[in-house]
Amino acid sequence: MTGEWEELTLCDLGRGVTGKTPLTAVEGNFGGQIPFVTPSDMNGKKTYSSTSRNLTETGAASIKGSKIPAGSVLVSCIGSDMGKAVIAGRDCVTTSRSIRSL
């Protein structure tokens, strides 16, 4: 098996994204159909099945560049939830600074 594996860095595999949180004070950012993944939604399953909060199209558009495609790997990276991982079951957005995706 020696020599059969190609050595890559994470950046070679895809674009790393740090999530953002839309302003909670703006009415209409939350309550839609776009999953908003937080560390508490990462409950030990391979993929997330639901999220406690969802964004509207307006909420997601307010943090453009933060949409995560289905199949991406999400890893929590701050606090007591550090190291949790899940695969995005569908397109989603993640919370600010506490989750990174690839």
Side-chain angles (χ1 to χ4, degrees):
M1 297 223 13
T2 304
E4 293 180 26
W5 292 91
E6 181 179 355
E7 190 172 317
L8 302 170
T9 65
L10 287 175
C11 292
D12 294 330
L13 299 176
R15 175 179 71 105
V17 175
T18 301
K20 296 179 182 172
T21 302
L23 296 173
T24 55
V26 174
E27 191 174 323
N29 277 346
F30 291 87
Q33 299 299 313
I34 301 167
F36 182 64
V37 183
T38 67
S40 62
D41 298 313
M42 301 167 82
N43 57 9
K45 295 185 179 180
K46 181 178 170 182
T47 59
Y48 66 85
S49 56
S50 63
T51 55
S52 59
R53 294 190 294 172
N54 292 304
L55 298 179
T56 62
E57 289 292 336
T58 302
S62 74
I63 53 173
K64 60 184 173 185
S66 294
K67 281 196 176 181
I68 309 298
S72 297
V73 177
L74 309 177
V75 180
S76 59
C77 57
I78 291 178
S80 63
D81 290 318
M82 188 179 340
K84 287 183 173 181
V86 69
I87 297 172
R90 55 186 271 213
D91 292 354
C92 63
V93 176
T94 64
T95 187
S96 62
R97 296 186 319 265
S98 60
I99 298 177
R100 307 255 175 160
S101 68
L102 181 65

